[in-house]
Amino acid sequence: MKKATTFSGHEGQVLDLVFTPESRTLVSAGMDNHVKLWSTSNWEALSTLQGHEKSVNSLALSPDGETLVTGSSDATVKLWNLPERELMRTLQDRKQVVSTVTLSANGRWVVAGSYGGRAAVWTIDGEDVVVIKASNKNLSSVAVSPNGALLATAGLGDAINLWELPSGSHLEKLSGHQTAVSSLHFTADGGHLFSLGYEGTVRLWRTESWEARRAIPVAQEGVRRLVLSPDERKAALSLEGRVQIWQTGSWERSVELEIGTKAVGGLAFSPDGAWFAAGGADGRIRVWGLS
């Protein structure tokens, strides 16, 4: 990996990052209530999206890169026209912190997970679909299967719950983690679900049978986030003050990156495989070139 480029992104912690599909723009969300767009050609700021009244906790992009979804501690979900950089609509389930948002790969569903354990689903046009009481505890991750038929939810507690879409019917409960589950990711073919537990274990579940194919210990504890590279051959994990890159085939650690701040926020691989980005509690964004 090439030496990191570091630049000031936000006043306060960087909470999430995502690259646009063509890898020309990096989008960041911060505790300063702002969403910012950065050019990957020179890492200069292109624009700031303002509208949230509290920290922006989570980002999601539609597959075509046209629609950006943001979830905030102000209890709202906002949908933005990214090319025009304009707010299209604001959605709200109830007055609770929105901790995580996602968009289905087919571009059909917008999903928000909130404190108090609720998952709200809307269409991309903002129409109500279903509200799911997923847990009695805060949600930290939601993921939709590639075909849009299945929703996975997790957060505080050891359980991962699976729901049918659009009905919201409960299908399965997966156990094996401890304390909390911080990240969920379906593989692109829909055959597996990755989950990351706070206890420091990555689990790989077969979606056909919901059996745990593998359980990989990656740290003692305190692992907070997992993201997959576009080809799913690498996984990035955030720990206190550092990020680890693992090869998902062998589950061998290939590199450890020092961040310099205790809390590490968003992680993102660019779709073209050229960049990896991480955000820190110091408001700075660090970007590495991938060989």
Side-chain angles (χ1 to χ4, degrees):
M1 299 181 72
K2 297 179 181 178
K3 186 177 179 180
T5 299
T6 302
F7 54 94
S8 296
H10 292 265
E11 295 180 7
Q13 186 171 348
V14 180
L15 297 176
D16 206 1
L17 298 168
V18 65
F19 284 93
T20 54
E22 80 290 343
S23 300
R24 294 177 183 172
T25 305
L26 174 66
V27 185
S28 64
M31 198 172 284
D32 58 3
N33 313 347
H34 293 161
V35 176
K36 295 190 176 184
L37 280 59
W38 309 88
S39 169
T40 60
S41 64
N42 54 17
W43 305 114
E44 292 185 358
L46 298 171
S47 183
T48 298
L49 305 182
Q50 298 180 351
H52 283 295
E53 297 177 357
K54 293 185 179 179
S55 66
V56 184
N57 303 319
S58 185
L59 302 169
L61 264 175
S62 60
D64 60 9
E66 295 286 317
T67 303
L68 173 69
V69 180
T70 58
S72 170
S73 292
D74 66 11
T76 69
V77 174
K78 293 184 182 293
L79 276 65
W80 309 78
N81 181 310
L82 197 59
E84 300 297 329
R85 302 170 190 173
E86 293 180 349
L87 178 65
M88 295 189 296
R89 61 185 57 91
T90 299
L91 308 174
Q92 186 171 19
D93 170 39
R94 57 180 184 158
K95 293 183 179 180
Q96 288 281 2
V97 169
V98 177
S99 51
T100 179
V101 294
T102 193
L103 268 163
S104 59
N106 60 14
R108 187 177 182 185
W109 311 124
V110 177
V111 184
S114 66
Y115 282 13
R118 280 164 62 109
V121 185
W122 299 271
T123 68
I124 193 70
D125 295 320
E127 298 175 353
D128 294 334
V129 176
V130 67
V131 174
I132 298 168
K133 181 60 176 176
S135 171
N136 292 324
K137 301 176 180 179
N138 297 344
L139 295 183
S140 58
S141 187
V142 291
V144 179
S145 61
N147 64 3
L150 188 67
L151 170 67
T153 63
L156 293 177
D158 64 353
I160 300 167
N161 283 291
L162 305 166
W163 315 85
E164 192 271 339
L165 290 178
S167 72
S169 299
H170 188 259
L171 300 174
E172 195 81 31
K173 180 179 179 179
L174 309 179
S175 298
H177 289 295
Q178 301 172 24
T179 309
V181 180
S182 57
S183 293
L184 298 170
H185 291 280
F186 283 97
T187 55
D189 63 5
H192 292 88
L193 173 69
F194 280 91
S195 62
L196 172 65
Y198 186 78
E199 80 283 352
T201 302
V202 174
R203 291 182 178 268
L204 185 60
W205 309 85
R206 297 181 187 272
T207 57
E208 183 179 1
S209 61
W210 294 115
E211 295 176 348
R213 178 184 171 188
R214 297 187 70 178
I216 306 101
V218 293
Q220 293 297 319
E221 62 178 12
V223 190
R224 289 177 169 81
R225 187 169 300 199
L226 177 150
V227 297
L228 296 175
S229 62
D231 61 9
E232 299 178 350
R233 295 181 180 180
K234 301 182 187 71
L237 303 172
S238 65
L239 298 91
E240 287 192 0
R242 63 195 191 280
V243 173
Q244 296 177 348
I245 309 292
W246 294 69
Q247 303 297 322
T248 57
S250 61
W251 277 101
E252 295 179 353
R253 191 176 70 192
S254 58
V255 67
E256 183 166 288
L257 307 171
E258 295 296 329
I259 301 300
T261 66
K262 185 175 181 179
V264 181
L267 307 175
F269 289 96
S270 63
D272 64 2
W275 309 103
F276 172 72
D282 57 0
R284 300 175 72 80
I285 299 170
R286 297 152 178 85
V287 184
W288 290 263
L290 299 176
S291 57

